[in-house]
Short mmCIF file of all heavy atoms in Angstrom, two decimals:
data_model
loop_
_atom_site.label_atom_id
_atom_site.label_comp_id
_atom_site.label_asym_id
_atom_site.label_seq_id
_atom_site.Cartn_x
_atom_site.Cartn_y
_atom_site.Cartn_z
N ASP C 93 43.52 -26.70 -6.62
CA ASP C 93 44.34 -27.89 -6.90
C ASP C 93 43.44 -29.06 -7.30
O ASP C 93 42.67 -29.58 -6.49
CB ASP C 93 45.15 -28.24 -5.66
CG ASP C 93 46.16 -29.34 -5.90
OD1 ASP C 93 45.97 -30.18 -6.81
OD2 ASP C 93 47.14 -29.39 -5.14
N GLU C 94 43.54 -29.49 -8.54
CA GLU C 94 42.70 -30.56 -9.08
C GLU C 94 42.83 -31.88 -8.33
O GLU C 94 41.93 -32.72 -8.40
CB GLU C 94 43.03 -30.80 -10.56
CG GLU C 94 42.67 -29.67 -11.46
CD GLU C 94 42.92 -30.00 -12.91
OE1 GLU C 94 42.59 -31.12 -13.35
OE2 GLU C 94 43.44 -29.11 -13.62
N LEU C 95 43.92 -32.07 -7.64
CA LEU C 95 44.17 -33.34 -6.96
C LEU C 95 43.73 -33.34 -5.49
O LEU C 95 43.82 -34.36 -4.82
CB LEU C 95 45.65 -33.70 -7.05
CG LEU C 95 46.20 -33.82 -8.47
CD1 LEU C 95 47.69 -34.10 -8.44
CD2 LEU C 95 45.44 -34.88 -9.26
N LYS C 96 43.25 -32.21 -5.01
CA LYS C 96 42.83 -32.11 -3.61
C LYS C 96 41.34 -32.43 -3.48
O LYS C 96 40.55 -32.22 -4.39
CB LYS C 96 43.12 -30.72 -3.06
CG LYS C 96 44.59 -30.38 -3.02
CD LYS C 96 45.35 -31.27 -2.08
CE LYS C 96 46.81 -30.86 -2.01
NZ LYS C 96 47.58 -31.70 -1.13
N SER C 97 41.00 -32.91 -2.30
CA SER C 97 39.62 -33.35 -2.02
C SER C 97 38.95 -32.47 -0.97
O SER C 97 39.61 -31.64 -0.32
CB SER C 97 39.66 -34.80 -1.51
OG SER C 97 40.29 -34.84 -0.25
N ILE C 98 37.67 -32.70 -0.78
CA ILE C 98 36.95 -32.02 0.30
C ILE C 98 37.59 -32.40 1.65
O ILE C 98 37.69 -31.56 2.54
CB ILE C 98 35.45 -32.36 0.27
CG1 ILE C 98 34.78 -31.68 -0.92
CG2 ILE C 98 34.77 -31.93 1.57
CD1 ILE C 98 33.30 -31.96 -1.06
N HIS C 99 38.03 -33.62 1.77
CA HIS C 99 38.73 -34.04 2.99
C HIS C 99 39.97 -33.17 3.21
O HIS C 99 40.21 -32.69 4.33
CB HIS C 99 39.10 -35.52 2.89
CG HIS C 99 39.67 -36.08 4.14
ND1 HIS C 99 40.24 -37.31 4.17
CD2 HIS C 99 39.80 -35.60 5.39
CE1 HIS C 99 40.69 -37.58 5.39
NE2 HIS C 99 40.43 -36.53 6.15
N ASP C 100 40.76 -32.95 2.16
CA ASP C 100 41.94 -32.09 2.27
C ASP C 100 41.54 -30.68 2.70
O ASP C 100 42.19 -30.07 3.56
CB ASP C 100 42.69 -32.01 0.94
CG ASP C 100 43.28 -33.33 0.50
OD1 ASP C 100 43.84 -34.06 1.35
OD2 ASP C 100 43.18 -33.65 -0.70
N LEU C 101 40.48 -30.16 2.12
CA LEU C 101 40.00 -28.82 2.46
C LEU C 101 39.59 -28.76 3.93
O LEU C 101 39.92 -27.81 4.64
CB LEU C 101 38.83 -28.43 1.56
CG LEU C 101 38.25 -27.04 1.77
CD1 LEU C 101 39.29 -25.96 1.49
CD2 LEU C 101 37.01 -26.85 0.91
N SER C 102 38.91 -29.79 4.41
CA SER C 102 38.48 -29.79 5.80
C SER C 102 39.67 -29.85 6.76
O SER C 102 39.63 -29.26 7.84
CB SER C 102 37.50 -30.94 6.08
OG SER C 102 38.16 -32.18 6.02
N GLU C 103 40.72 -30.54 6.36
CA GLU C 103 41.93 -30.62 7.20
C GLU C 103 42.60 -29.24 7.30
O GLU C 103 43.06 -28.85 8.37
CB GLU C 103 42.89 -31.66 6.65
CG GLU C 103 42.40 -33.09 6.80
CD GLU C 103 42.37 -33.57 8.24
OE1 GLU C 103 43.39 -33.43 8.94
OE2 GLU C 103 41.32 -34.09 8.67
N VAL C 104 42.67 -28.52 6.18
CA VAL C 104 43.23 -27.17 6.20
C VAL C 104 42.35 -26.26 7.06
O VAL C 104 42.86 -25.45 7.84
CB VAL C 104 43.36 -26.63 4.75
CG1 VAL C 104 43.58 -25.13 4.73
CG2 VAL C 104 44.50 -27.34 4.04
N ASN C 105 41.04 -26.41 6.93
CA ASN C 105 40.13 -25.61 7.74
C ASN C 105 40.29 -25.90 9.23
O ASN C 105 40.17 -25.01 10.06
CB ASN C 105 38.68 -25.84 7.30
CG ASN C 105 38.39 -25.21 5.96
OD1 ASN C 105 39.09 -24.33 5.50
ND2 ASN C 105 37.34 -25.69 5.31
N ASP C 106 40.57 -27.14 9.56
CA ASP C 106 40.74 -27.52 10.96
C ASP C 106 41.93 -26.80 11.59
O ASP C 106 41.91 -26.50 12.78
CB ASP C 106 40.92 -29.04 11.08
CG ASP C 106 40.61 -29.55 12.47
OD1 ASP C 106 40.02 -28.81 13.29
OD2 ASP C 106 40.96 -30.71 12.75
N VAL C 107 42.94 -26.50 10.79
CA VAL C 107 44.11 -25.78 11.29
C VAL C 107 43.80 -24.28 11.45
O VAL C 107 44.34 -23.63 12.35
CB VAL C 107 45.31 -25.98 10.34
CG1 VAL C 107 46.49 -25.12 10.72
CG2 VAL C 107 45.72 -27.45 10.30
N SER C 108 42.92 -23.75 10.63
CA SER C 108 42.62 -22.32 10.64
C SER C 108 41.49 -21.92 11.58
O SER C 108 41.48 -20.79 12.08
CB SER C 108 42.24 -21.86 9.22
OG SER C 108 43.32 -22.02 8.33
N TYR C 109 40.56 -22.81 11.81
CA TYR C 109 39.35 -22.47 12.56
C TYR C 109 39.21 -23.32 13.82
O TYR C 109 39.59 -24.48 13.85
CB TYR C 109 38.09 -22.67 11.69
CG TYR C 109 38.05 -21.75 10.51
CD1 TYR C 109 38.59 -22.13 9.28
CD2 TYR C 109 37.49 -20.49 10.61
CE1 TYR C 109 38.57 -21.28 8.18
CE2 TYR C 109 37.46 -19.63 9.52
CZ TYR C 109 38.00 -20.03 8.31
OH TYR C 109 37.98 -19.18 7.24
N LYS C 110 38.63 -22.70 14.84
CA LYS C 110 38.33 -23.39 16.09
C LYS C 110 36.88 -23.86 16.01
O LYS C 110 35.95 -23.08 16.18
CB LYS C 110 38.52 -22.43 17.27
CG LYS C 110 38.17 -23.00 18.59
CD LYS C 110 39.33 -23.75 19.16
CE LYS C 110 38.99 -24.16 20.59
NZ LYS C 110 39.56 -25.40 20.93
N PHE C 111 36.71 -25.12 15.68
CA PHE C 111 35.37 -25.70 15.60
C PHE C 111 34.92 -26.11 16.99
O PHE C 111 35.74 -26.47 17.83
CB PHE C 111 35.38 -26.92 14.66
CG PHE C 111 35.62 -26.55 13.23
CD1 PHE C 111 36.90 -26.53 12.71
CD2 PHE C 111 34.57 -26.19 12.41
CE1 PHE C 111 37.12 -26.18 11.38
CE2 PHE C 111 34.78 -25.84 11.08
CZ PHE C 111 36.07 -25.83 10.57
#
Side-chain angles (χ1 to χ4, degrees):
D93 188 334
E94 293 184 43
L95 302 177
K96 297 296 183 180
S97 67
I98 289 179
H99 186 190
D100 295 318
L101 182 63
S102 69
E103 291 291 309
V104 165
N105 288 340
D106 200 13
V107 173
S108 296
Y109 296 92
K110 177 85 173 146
F111 292 92

